[in-house]
Amino acid sequence: MKSSPRETWSVGELASRFALATHVLRHWEDVGLLRPARDSAGRRRYGRDELVRVAVILRNKAAGMSLEQIAVLLDAGAPDRHRVLEAHLADLDRRMQEMELSRQMTEHALRCRAHDVANCPRFRTGIEDLLEGRRWSGDWH
């Protein structure tokens, strides 16, 4: 996304810039994530700070944060800020481990000669934790 020399954007312009529906920006305003200025006619005008906040919101939503967690992230004075962020980091670590396991299983499936990969003993090691009713906690190899 290229930086624009413009100082403010309308709700439609900002939504278009990020490929969002305008109601998304309005909702984020309703929940306190955005605080656009208003022009003399009462229309929303988004400045550079809101542009940055939208980018932060989108990046963190993509990483799995809820709007409530993002609100805490953006509020340096939130009393439980560190607890919320540490919990999110732990969740990211867990999800990254699960994604790595899925990647390893997919790579094995590409190389496996078994007709039905779900019956391949090596492939099944990737789901044994779930079959046994527990969460995965280690490397697949």
Side-chain angles (χ1 to χ4, degrees):
M1 178 170 62
K2 290 182 101 174
S3 180
S4 171
R6 294 180 67 170
E7 295 198 20
T8 66
W9 297 266
S10 70
V11 67
E13 291 167 334
L14 191 66
S16 177
R17 183 177 182 115
F18 289 101
L20 296 169
T22 56
H23 71 85
V24 172
L25 296 176
R26 290 185 185 103
H27 175 69
W28 292 349
E29 181 183 353
D30 290 343
V31 299
L33 293 173
L34 298 175
R35 294 175 205 92
R38 301 284 178 152
D39 65 14
S40 60
R43 294 179 297 244
R44 292 168 178 86
R45 298 305 299 174
Y46 295 87
R48 181 78 181 163
D49 289 344
E50 287 80 22
L51 183 80
V52 169
R53 287 177 78 91
V54 170
V56 168
I57 293 165
L58 289 172
R59 178 60 43 88
N60 285 285
K61 280 183 62 57
M65 281 184 117
S66 68
L67 291 181
E68 293 80 15
Q69 289 172 311
I70 294 169
V72 170
L73 170 72
L74 292 171
D75 181 1
D80 57 350
R81 186 170 192 258
H82 284 102
R83 182 190 57 76
V84 168
L85 297 178
E86 287 170 354
H88 181 63
L89 282 174
D91 183 55
L92 285 173
D93 288 342
R94 178 192 56 77
R95 290 187 357 210
M96 287 171 35
Q97 286 179 331
E98 289 177 357
M99 289 176 67
E100 179 57 31
L101 175 61
S102 178
R103 180 181 179 81
Q104 291 169 5
M105 291 174 65
T106 302
E107 287 173 345
H108 178 77
L110 281 170
R111 294 185 310 269
C112 187
R113 293 183 181 181
H115 178 68
D116 181 358
V117 74
N119 289 317
C120 169
R122 175 94 189 253
F123 187 82
R124 286 189 82 158
T125 62
I127 58 170
E128 282 302 316
D129 59 328
L130 298 173
L131 295 174
E132 294 175 10
R134 59 183 170 77
R135 300 287 287 171
W136 175 72
S137 61
D139 190 27
W140 190 52
H141 292 295

